[in-house]
Amino acid sequence: MEHCDIHTTLEHAGLSKTSRRVAVLTVLVHAQTPLRVKDILDRVCGEGQINKVTVYRILASFKAEGIIREIATDHGVNFYEMACRHNPTHPHFYCRICRSLSCLPEQVIRESRFEHLLTGNQTVDGITLNLTGVCGTCNLIKDGHRRSKQ
Ligand SMILES: [Zn+2]
Ligand SMILES: [Zn+2]
Ligand SMILES: [Zn+2]
């Protein structure tokens, strides 16, 4: 899979290439799913000094520069993913039982033609579409429980 170049991304965003920023961005670029701060901390290696506060601060600077997007959930735990040409805006599905977040295909947003809803001189530079429910794994577990009670 193609990835953004870490150093070029930081350069374009006008952020200095500190070892911590490079470490956090490396984790995000290689992630297959959106990550929580906890996941990022688990994956950042060789940076013994990095703590939660530092990760939050780095994520805030990445978000402000449009490098990453933040996906908020009902439980107050946010997820982060790259906001680059390899990963265009798309909807997410959040399971309220196991609290996992998965990415849904971007064509839903492309085909929705949200611009038709706009009146006057409005322009759109971001769309957030998040679905909440119960994931397949949790539904299987629920079904299992139901069956064992019968
Ligand atoms: Zn990319
Ligand atoms: Zn689930
Ligand atoms: Zn996503």
Side-chain angles (χ1 to χ4, degrees):
M1 198 184 139
E2 212 188 327
H3 293 300
C4 283
D5 180 73
I6 311 290
H7 295 273
T8 317
T9 303
L10 290 174
E11 251 163 50
H12 285 172
L15 294 168
S16 60
K17 287 174 258 177
T18 64
S19 61
R20 288 167 185 182
R21 279 193 189 131
V22 169
V24 172
L25 193 57
T26 303
V27 169
L28 285 161
V29 160
H30 290 99
Q32 304 292 326
T33 56
L35 300 177
R36 299 162 298 178
V37 167
K38 183 178 162 292
D39 306 318
I40 296 170
L41 275 170
D42 285 349
R43 291 179 195 201
V44 172
C45 40
E47 290 294 315
Q49 308 292 309
I50 206 159
N51 59 34
K52 224 175 173 174
V53 178
T54 312
V55 172
Y56 274 113
R57 210 169 39 221
I58 291 172
L59 291 173
S61 69
F62 287 174
K63 202 186 134 192
E65 297 304 328
I67 297 176
I68 59 166
R69 65 179 78 93
E70 182 178 51
I71 304 114
T73 71
D74 294 353
H75 295 102
V77 177
N78 295 350
F79 287 77
Y80 301 88
E81 66 181 9
M82 291 301 290
C84 62
R85 66 196 157 85
H86 306 114
N87 197 27
T89 303
H90 51 269
H92 288 95
F93 181 86
Y94 180 66
C95 174
R96 57 183 166 75
I97 295 181
C98 67
R99 301 183 179 189
S100 62
L101 185 84
S102 46
C103 300
L104 298 175
E106 46 130 358
Q107 67 259 30
V108 180
I109 283 181
R110 234 188 303 125
E111 288 160 7
S112 300
R113 303 179 163 272
F114 288 105
E115 63 270 26
H116 292 292
L117 304 174
L118 301 177
T119 53
N121 205 19
Q122 295 158 319
T123 54
V124 174
D125 54 19
I127 296 171
T128 307
L129 182 59
N130 296 325
L131 313 180
T132 308
V134 180
C135 75
T137 311
C138 290
N139 268 327
L140 277 177
I141 295 168
K142 260 175 45 185
D143 285 350
H145 284 315
R146 210 175 291 143
R147 226 163 283 143
S148 64
K149 274 184 208 149
Q150 282 168 0

